[in-house]
Amino acid sequence: MSEIASGTAGFLFGGDYNPEQWPREVWTEDMELMRRAGVNTTTIGVFSWAVLEPREGEFDAAWLDEVIATLDEAGISFFLATPTASPPPWFTRVYPDAMPVRPDGTRVVHGSRDTYAISAPAYRAACRRVARFLAERYGQHPRLRGWHVHNEYGTIDHGPHAAAAFRRWLQAKYGDLSTLNDAWYTAFWSQHYSDWEDILPPRQTQYLANPAQVVDFKRFCSDEMLAAYDEQVAEIRAAGSTAQVTTNFMLPTWNHLDQWDWAEHQDVVSIDHYLDTSGPDGEAHVAYASDLTRSWAGGAWLLMEQNATGIRETDRTFVKDSDRMIRNSLGYIARGSQSSLFFQWRAGAAGAESWHGALVPHTGPQSRSFDAVVRLGAMLAQIAEVAELPAEGPLIEAQIGIVWDANGWWSLDTPHLPNEELSYAAEVRATHRSLWRAGIACDFVRPRADATGYRILAVPSMFALDDATVSWLTAYVEAGGHLVVGHFTGVADENQRVVLGGYPGRLRDLLGVRVEEIRPLAAGRTHTLTDGAEIEQWTERMHLETADEVAAYADGDLAGLPAIARRRVGGGTATYLSARLVQKSRDAFWTTLCQAHGVTPTLPDAVGTGLEVVRRRAARGDYLFCLHHGNEAVRIAGTGEDLLTGRTTDRGLLLTPGEVAVIRERPGATWHVTAV
Ligand code: GAL
């Protein structure tokens, strides 16, 4: 675990700071307000390339020297970003070929941000140069908390540089064209390649693209961006800087990175997280992002960005009220974040994001939102001891693992599957949501990682599986684990080639079933199962081989046929759901399954009250984070002390709707929650 995340300095608090966009007098007020709020960390330089290198090879860092001196004097640390997410306008003029090309052939140019062709040699060289410059100049600065390389890697290029690099990647993967032709099944539609030069990224074409090519291109893009990241890190290290390095992942509705791979290249894993709804499900989204990131990181991690005051939903920004901002901030921390950092410090007066939220809103510090920022700063100081990491063991004890795999996402993104409404992200999220609602802690698991510690392992729809993953799942069940496999998992190999003879071919032996037909349902159509569950989107005509029936279709075309099957293997079980359970039924399924296997909620009484309870382990013991999202007051009682109020909880602590508590538990404490 890195120094940043070791926690001895408490939690990091602050956010993106862009003083180059403001006159000097504002900097003075910034320092005063940061001190008032207890800000200890900023992220600087993220989009500063054009001012830092106004002409090719000519650096002007006097302003950055001044920013750093200002922060230093105020006692505030900084992450220094390499500004490579946004090349300056001169870069387009000098290297037009280093601009990204969309699948339809449109070349995108500067004027926004994130305009770069990741494989363009000129872009890569310019990135190395600017990283080296910054590392040589600031790499030893005592206030440097770490390097924030780039920002949210994710611009996909389909141009000539990408094509050349993709071919090199494919040559390394397949060795010769006949192996590639076989893997890509190019006998179909006259796609057989006879020359490497003919292979292209999946560009705009007349009809459906080759699915194996699509998924390989996604794998290539992740590897290519990782190589670009590694090059910057190499420059930083070559300049002698030993500060911790991270790059901020984005957790959106698309995914361009294999985060498990990337996590291995970072000293500390960080993410940016923006709620995708202003409704109550936003709270589950915080938990989802946090559990994922803690799992990628293998422990503590950093929240680099969230929005202090707004929630963007398609075409409007709703207000994120102060209570919610505080609950969300503690929600990330409860699940392993060592920081509460925001985008951004001060709301812009102009520019494309001037209506984005900030710690200091347009109105200025005389605002309820800034009051809340000051309140949050004080709270983080009050709970500082929680940041100290335990000498060993996980931060959160979880008995359930959900398999997460970027390949699973990418393969379900290929065109023309039986029902394109099926989304990997939605399946993973729905499973996590059920566990969140049940108050049960869970981790995400990398395919083929050690999963023996999990009593239950969930595999949401993972259409394509390689041999090693199949063996891993089999070994898990044989060792006594309880595996739950979602519909349309293991139907194909890693190149999307369907296994013949009955679905899901790769897992038929393990699951003990044979599916004859996949029968999607029309949008909005539902059916019931014999156990009362409601299903949607997807059904399968399934025959039991060595499995037993758990529930059958109660109505519809498949009435009377098995819908959920379970095969016993020694002490373990493998369960297959051939249909998509609606969320309510999925919740019930998971609650029953957890009860059956003795997996209990963190605080059983809290379930259903709107009180989220997370137990985080720290160096000095266990802490209960109590985040009250509900509408009725609750009382929580047990032997402990609330760090935020200094009050004992022995005779009960009242939490009104929206309130939070962080309770240091006394060993052996038992807890009760009652509605008031
Ligand atoms: C992030 C990005 C920030 C800012 C923010 C707005 O994804 O890193 O620079 O644009 O979104 O929500």
Side-chain angles (χ1 to χ4, degrees):
M1 179 47 62
S2 72
E3 262 166 44
I4 299 174
S6 71
T8 38
F11 292 107
L12 311 188
F13 178 46
D16 278 44
Y17 182 44
N18 302 302
E20 69 275 21
Q21 299 170 12
W22 296 91
R24 294 294 188 277
E25 55 277 18
V26 175
W27 300 19
T28 311
E29 190 196 33
D30 287 338
M31 293 308 111
E32 203 278 297
L33 295 180
M34 283 188 195
R35 252 190 306 250
R36 204 194 297 172
V39 163
N40 54 30
T41 306
T42 52
T43 302
I44 55 175
V46 180
F47 294 113
S48 68
W49 198 347
V51 283
L52 190 65
E53 192 183 357
R55 275 163 296 279
E56 184 169 17
E58 248 179 64
F59 289 96
D60 173 7
W63 65 273
L64 188 53
D65 292 348
E66 219 182 317
V67 170
I68 289 175
T70 306
L71 289 169
D72 188 20
E73 204 182 312
I76 296 168
S77 299
F78 59 92
F79 283 96
L80 185 52
T82 62
T84 51
S86 204
W90 61 254
F91 188 79
T92 313
R93 173 171 35 83
V94 183
Y95 302 107
D97 64 300
M99 294 292 105
V101 175
R102 294 204 166 127
D104 69 356
T106 314
R107 193 180 282 282
V108 175
V109 295
H110 69 270
S112 177
R113 66 171 190 194
D114 298 314
T115 37
Y116 51 84
I118 194 77
S119 311
Y123 173 69
R124 296 279 275 269
C127 290
R128 289 194 298 270
R129 185 174 62 219
V130 72
R132 183 62 172 252
F133 172 83
L134 290 171
E136 281 176 355
R137 195 169 182 107
Y138 306 109
Q140 317 292 335
H141 199 286
R143 297 252 185 232
L144 177 66
R145 281 232 199 258
W147 291 98
H148 174 297
V149 171
H150 199 87
N151 192 67
E152 297 178 345
Y153 276 98
T155 298
I156 302 301
D157 171 39
H158 297 78
H161 291 301
F166 184 35
R167 285 175 207 131
R168 285 194 295 276
W169 185 91
L170 291 168
Q171 276 162 350
K173 177 169 179 178
Y174 294 110
D176 56 67
L177 272 180
S178 92
T179 312
L180 176 138
N181 277 313
D182 184 46
W184 285 14
Y185 202 63
T186 54
F188 185 70
W189 281 351
S190 179
Q191 291 181 355
H192 185 90
Y193 290 98
S194 48
D195 192 321
W196 287 100
E197 289 304 301
D198 297 334
I199 300 178
L200 298 171
R203 293 185 185 151
Q204 199 73 50
T205 184
Q206 150 58 18
Y207 185 41
L208 306 172
N210 181 320
Q213 176 195 10
V214 168
V215 173
D216 262 346
F217 186 66
K218 294 198 185 217
R219 293 171 178 143
F220 153 76
C221 288
S222 177
D223 286 356
E224 184 73 353
M225 289 188 276
L226 182 55
Y229 163 87
D230 282 344
E231 283 172 17
Q232 291 202 34
V233 178
E235 294 297 330
I236 289 168
R237 296 297 180 233
S241 179
T242 55
Q244 308 293 303
V245 179
T246 188
T247 182
N248 48 343
F249 293 153
M250 179 64 167
L251 190 73
T253 45
W254 37 260
N255 182 32
H256 295 313
L257 309 181
D258 184 333
Q259 293 90 351
W260 297 114
D261 272 357
W262 280 68
E264 288 176 353
H265 294 237
Q266 298 177 69
D267 297 312
V268 59
V269 174
S270 63
I271 61 158
D272 300 343
H273 190 246
Y274 292 91
L275 298 189
D276 61 355
T277 166
S278 58
D281 198 46
E283 313 299 346
H285 200 217
V286 169
Y288 171 66
S290 305
D291 287 341
L292 255 178
T293 317
R294 186 185 66 258
S295 305
W296 292 329
W301 56 279
L302 297 177
L303 178 72
M304 270 292 165
E305 295 180 17
Q306 66 160 315
N307 188 333
T309 51
I311 301 169
R312 185 77 182 170
E313 266 180 42
T314 29
D315 60 352
R316 65 206 66 199
T317 305
F318 294 104
V319 168
K320 188 193 270 182
D321 278 318
S322 302
D323 278 357
R324 186 171 206 175
M325 184 279 280
I326 287 174
R327 284 203 315 282
N328 287 175
S329 301
L330 293 184
Y332 297 113
I333 286 176
R335 293 171 194 266
S337 174
Q338 294 297 85
S339 65
S340 189
L341 300 170
F342 294 78
F343 180 85
Q344 57 180 335
W345 166 248
R346 191 179 270 282
E353 289 190 332
S354 54
W355 293 101
H356 194 279
L359 293 169
V360 182
H362 283 154
T363 332
Q366 271 140 347
S367 51
R368 53 184 206 123
S369 71
F370 189 72
D371 289 347
V373 169
V374 175
R375 204 144 43 92
L376 176 62
M379 287 173 148
L380 296 179
Q382 281 158 332
I383 65 167
E385 67 187 67
V386 187
E388 288 175 44
L389 298 179
E392 56 186 342
L395 293 180
I396 292 181
E397 205 69 69
Q399 294 182 313
I400 301 193
I402 303 175
V403 176
W404 164 277
D405 185 18
N407 281 282
W409 185 317
W410 296 334
S411 59
L412 271 195
D413 268 357
T414 53
H416 223 61
L417 297 178
N419 183 352
E420 289 173 29
E421 209 183 334
L422 173 59
S423 132
Y424 180 76
E427 292 309 310
V428 178
R429 178 100 181 267
T431 300
H432 183 272
R433 185 183 289 116
S434 290
L435 295 170
W436 182 81
R437 289 181 177 173
I440 289 172
C442 67
D443 289 336
F444 288 90
V445 179
R446 182 179 196 166
R448 304 174 296 284
D450 179 9
T452 48
Y454 298 105
R455 233 177 260 190
I456 304 175
L457 192 62
V459 186
S461 305
M462 253 172 83
F463 158 49
L465 293 182
D466 61 14
D467 284 338
T469 305
V470 172
S471 311
W472 172 68
L473 294 173
T474 307
Y476 171 77
V477 176
E478 283 170 353
H482 300 288
L483 181 71
V484 179
V485 175
H487 56 291
F488 207 49
T489 299
V491 169
D493 71 8
E494 66 274 28
N495 296 314
Q496 282 71 241
R497 184 179 296 208
V498 174
V499 179
L500 306 180
Y503 316 118
R506 309 230 82 194
L507 293 179
R508 263 186 58 197
D509 290 346
L510 177 59
L511 298 172
V513 300
R514 186 170 70 85
V515 171
E516 194 186 322
E517 279 167 8
I518 291 168
R519 302 172 64 95
L521 297 180
R525 184 84 188 268
T526 59
H527 284 301
T528 7
L529 303 187
T530 48
D531 62 359
E534 215 180 322
I535 54 113
E536 60 186 349
Q537 273 187 26
W538 196 280
T539 64
E540 294 176 356
R541 180 183 293 276
M542 173 166 75
H543 304 281
L544 303 178
E545 291 190 323
T546 52
D548 302 318
E549 179 179 299
V550 174
Y553 291 97
D555 50 33
D557 296 342
L558 299 176
L561 292 179
I564 304 179
R566 180 165 298 144
R567 177 170 166 248
R568 291 185 188 283
V569 184
T573 56
T575 302
Y576 182 59
L577 294 103
S578 72
R580 179 176 212 257
L581 295 172
V582 304
Q583 188 71 50
K584 226 171 92 206
S585 300
R586 196 185 293 243
D587 296 351
F589 171 86
W590 278 100
T591 300
T592 310
L593 192 84
C594 288
Q595 272 163 2
H597 296 300
V599 176
T600 50
T602 306
L603 214 168
D605 288 359
V607 179
T609 64
L611 179 70
E612 178 180 358
V613 183
V614 185
R615 176 174 284 118
R616 175 173 164 162
R617 179 151 304 152
R620 300 187 214 170
D622 288 349
Y623 296 80
L624 282 185
F625 282 73
C626 305
L627 316 171
H628 194 15
H629 311 304
N631 301 319
E632 310 283 339
V634 292
R635 186 179 300 280
I636 170 161
T639 50
E641 185 189 22
D642 175 22
L643 301 182
L644 297 175
T645 55
R647 284 207 220 119
T648 164
T649 51
D650 297 12
R651 266 166 285 113
L653 182 77
L654 185 75
L655 283 185
T656 58
E659 279 196 323
V660 291
V662 180
I663 301 172
R664 187 199 295 122
E665 288 186 89
R666 267 182 241 134
T670 52
W671 295 94
H672 293 289
V673 176
T674 41
V676 180

